[in-house]
Amino acid sequence: MAARRWPLARTVLTAANGTTGAGLLLALVTRTRIRRGRDGVLIAEGWRLPMPPAACFTVGSVVITRRSAEWLLHDDRAALLAHESRHAGQYAVLGPLFWPAYWVACGWSYAATGSWGCRNWFERQAGLTDGGYPEDVPLRPWLRRARRRRSRRGA
């Protein structure tokens, strides 16, 4: 029962904290078409700007995609839509604080591995493979060395 209430709660929270409004404004300004998705998520289809390079990204309860809504709603992409819906849940909890927190997590992930997503806490919680991110990018050499020095001191 509670699992069925979460999409409604997420929708209400992202509307109240303004993040869905920001997603709708972004969709309006960039002339993407808004379609209803599943479980209270809206889909803005036809994103044409070069950034971000991903096929989809989420702002509030709005999933913005370069492709069509039908493409994203197809059963073959259920995991991707679930990943983006989990990001909507993160927006519900953090509101506008999601943006700086997410970019700090991206910066850490990139500094640690060269991948924006694989060490990003938000992407990990949303499901790396569901979002198309690699899971096992090795740490950069400087971080591996620091970890080895730290473990030697602790041993």
Side-chain angles (χ1 to χ4, degrees), residues 43-100:
I43 300 172
E45 61 185 359
W47 177 262
R48 291 181 288 282
L49 298 177
M51 293 302 288
C56 301
F57 66 100
T58 301
V59 179
S61 286
V62 182
V63 178
I64 302 171
T65 180
R66 297 179 182 290
R67 310 271 183 115
S68 69
E70 288 81 15
W71 176 84
L72 185 56
L73 291 168
H74 192 277
D75 289 343
D76 290 349
R77 280 164 288 285
L80 177 59
L81 184 57
H83 173 91
E84 297 302 332
S85 294
R86 288 183 208 111
H87 283 312
Q90 294 166 348
Y91 275 102
V93 173
L94 291 175
L97 293 176
F98 177 84
W99 292 304

Side-chain angles (χ1 to χ4, degrees), residues 96-127:
L97 293 176
F98 177 84
W99 292 304
Y102 182 84
W103 289 111
V104 166
C106 281
W108 163 249
S109 182
Y110 191 80
T113 65
S115 163
W116 298 107
C118 79
R119 294 284 174 150
N120 179 324
W121 185 87
F122 296 98
E123 295 299 346
R124 294 178 79 78
Q125 295 305 307

